[in-house]
Amino acid sequence: MKAIIYYDVGDFRLEDIPVPKIGPGEMLVRVRACGICSTDLYRAEYRRAKPGSVLGHEISGEVAEVGPEVKRFSPGDRVAVLHHAPCGACYYCMHAQEPLCDQYRRTNVDPGGFAEYIRVPSELVEKTVIKIPDKMSFEEATMIEPTACAVRAISKSRIFPGDTVLVIGGGPLGILNAQVAKAYGATQVIVSDHHDLRVKIAEEVGVDYAFNARKVNVEEAVRRLTEGRGADLVVIAVASSSAVQEGLRIIRWGGRVCIFGDFRDVPQPNLDVDPKLILRDDVTILGSWGCAPYDYYAAFNLIKSGRVKVRELITHRFPLEQFNDALKVISSKECMRVVLEI
Ligand SMILES: [Zn+2]
Ligand SMILES: [Zn+2]
């Protein structure tokens, strides 16, 4: 089968590798679509992936073969596959902190979504594979995983009906956070970004206000919309310390700031925070990373019901053979979500 193999920074190659063999409780899935996520690109850029490995984790496809003991699925089923399954029984799982679970961090599909076939291990078959309805396209189903990460962030951030939410960073995950916040009851959702394309797409999916921060003073705009108070919740959907500082300026007393952008490889991601902001102004700073099976199901339902629109976020599609062209589009920033159709 064909797969995109990662070797080094900027060195991805299309190669032929064997189709994985499956065992009891496992499934072979013919991948139909896989989103290219910034997490995959970070891993490649900062050499966190092993040379010779296959990346890609936002996966949908068709069940090609089921191993003995698989009851819930049969060949031909259309499915979305989440790549991490928590054990459900460890200390962290018992505290609903599944992304800290050892099994969660260990589980993955084999070899990865940028390939024609994947072996889905039994833990995932049991907990995180979802049958998708005919009316949901494969490319829409690739957005369930990122939406689930937004569901988790917004759930952790405790939205109250009528809240004003500012999302700094209008990439796919920023706009998903904005839409999920609205579905959770926020009445004013604002997205700020530096790219007109992203501002336009944010407006298209029904965000209340989308600003290009190069042209609009976002802090002033949020104050105007909140009787001077500031936002109830700010989600930082970009890995930038200055965006967090901006969020801390725009948050109201007693509000929440959720760090969502992936800071793992940002050089010196230090924050200057006045403890009085947390103590006297009662601002809560939290973060959200990953998602659990219940977030995945919530995301699936939000997309299926049309409460979260994902089709508008997919701006480019490429076959596996043109993976390097897809990377060029992503680095140009003139895109939103880029999906491989396999
Ligand atoms: Zn992702
Ligand atoms: Zn666990």
Side-chain angles (χ1 to χ4, degrees):
M1 68 169 183
K2 282 183 278 186
I4 298 294
I5 317 286
Y6 163 80
Y7 283 98
D8 201 351
V9 180
D11 185 1
F12 286 93
R13 299 177 211 167
L14 180 71
E15 291 185 1
D16 248 311
I17 59 170
V19 174
K21 300 247 179 311
I22 59 165
E26 299 184 336
M27 300 199 299
L28 187 70
V29 168
R30 170 71 174 90
V31 179
R32 289 296 174 193
C34 187
I36 304 179
C37 173
S38 56
T39 322
D40 298 316
L41 303 180
Y42 272 128
R43 287 183 64 202
E45 207 175 312
Y46 293 95
R47 297 197 170 97
R48 283 169 164 271
K50 265 203 222 97
S53 61
V54 176
L55 303 176
H57 61 272
E58 298 174 356
I59 304 165
S60 65
E62 271 159 2
V63 176
E65 200 186 318
V66 297
E69 293 159 34
V70 173
K71 303 254 171 350
R72 230 158 38 93
F73 300 98
S74 2
D77 284 348
R78 303 169 78 250
V79 291
V81 182
L82 179 73
H83 60 311
H84 290 317
C87 76
C90 72
Y91 190 83
Y92 302 105
C93 285
M94 293 299 185
H95 289 78
Q97 293 168 323
E98 292 84 354
L100 303 177
C101 163
D102 206 40
Q103 177 181 299
Y104 180 96
R105 292 171 169 225
R106 226 181 28 236
T107 42
N108 209 341
V109 297
D110 165 33
F114 302 157
E116 285 181 301
Y117 289 90
I118 50 167
R119 177 180 65 84
V120 183
S122 56
E123 300 92 327
L124 303 187
V125 173
E126 273 164 32
K127 292 185 180 132
T128 66
V129 178
I130 296 181
K131 270 188 218 175
I132 58 169
D134 288 341
K135 67 169 192 168
M136 186 182 281
S137 66
F138 287 120
E139 60 175 37
E140 286 174 289
T142 65
M143 298 297 281
I144 298 174
E145 191 266 353
T147 303
C149 295
V151 165
R152 189 170 187 85
I154 295 301
S155 314
K156 283 178 84 172
S157 303
R158 291 186 300 116
I159 295 268
F160 293 86
D163 270 359
T164 295
V165 177
L166 168 67
V167 180
I168 301 179
L173 269 301
I175 295 185
L176 288 173
N177 269 286
Q179 293 190 72
V180 173
K182 223 167 148 75
Y184 271 59
T187 47
Q188 293 195 106
V189 177
I190 306 153
V191 169
S192 80
D193 198 90
H194 287 160
H195 295 270
D196 283 330
L197 173 73
R198 296 180 162 198
V199 169
K200 188 173 136 257
I201 292 175
E203 283 167 350
E204 275 169 18
V205 299
V207 159
D208 300 290
Y209 301 92
F211 299 125
N212 185 329
R214 290 190 208 282
K215 300 172 189 165
V216 175
N217 182 326
V218 177
E219 182 174 354
E220 273 175 24
V222 173
R223 295 213 182 277
R224 222 175 20 249
L225 290 166
T226 56
E227 293 143 359
R229 274 188 311 271
D232 299 289
L233 167 66
V234 179
V235 178
I236 315 294
V238 56
S240 143
S241 300
S242 66
V244 182
Q245 302 290 5
E246 187 190 357
L248 292 172
R249 278 197 309 275
I250 301 178
I251 196 67
R252 69 162 170 87
W253 289 353
R256 287 94 56 208
V257 174
C258 178
I259 297 178
F260 186 90
D262 188 349
F263 272 87
R264 282 176 299 177
D265 294 296
V266 175
Q268 298 176 312
N270 296 326
L271 278 185
D272 225 350
V273 184
D274 180 348
K276 286 197 293 298
L277 183 79
I278 296 169
L279 184 72
R280 297 292 300 276
D281 297 347
D282 200 16
V283 167
T284 302
I285 302 173
L286 69 145
S288 187
W289 174 253
C291 49
Y294 46 86
D295 302 313
Y296 201 44
Y297 280 91
F300 169 63
N301 283 322
L302 285 170
I303 293 172
K304 194 171 69 170
S305 64
R307 297 288 293 278
V308 167
K309 297 188 179 74
V310 294
R311 215 173 308 148
E312 291 79 353
L313 304 188
I314 300 170
T315 52
H316 295 76
R317 296 146 183 94
F318 290 94
L320 210 51
E321 292 77 7
Q322 289 173 24
F323 183 79
N324 287 307
D325 296 328
L327 292 188
K328 268 184 225 140
V329 168
I330 292 170
S331 57
S332 78
K333 300 257 193 271
E334 291 306 313
C335 64
M336 188 60 84
R337 181 52 110 218
V338 179
V339 170
L340 294 177
E341 289 183 335
I342 301 171

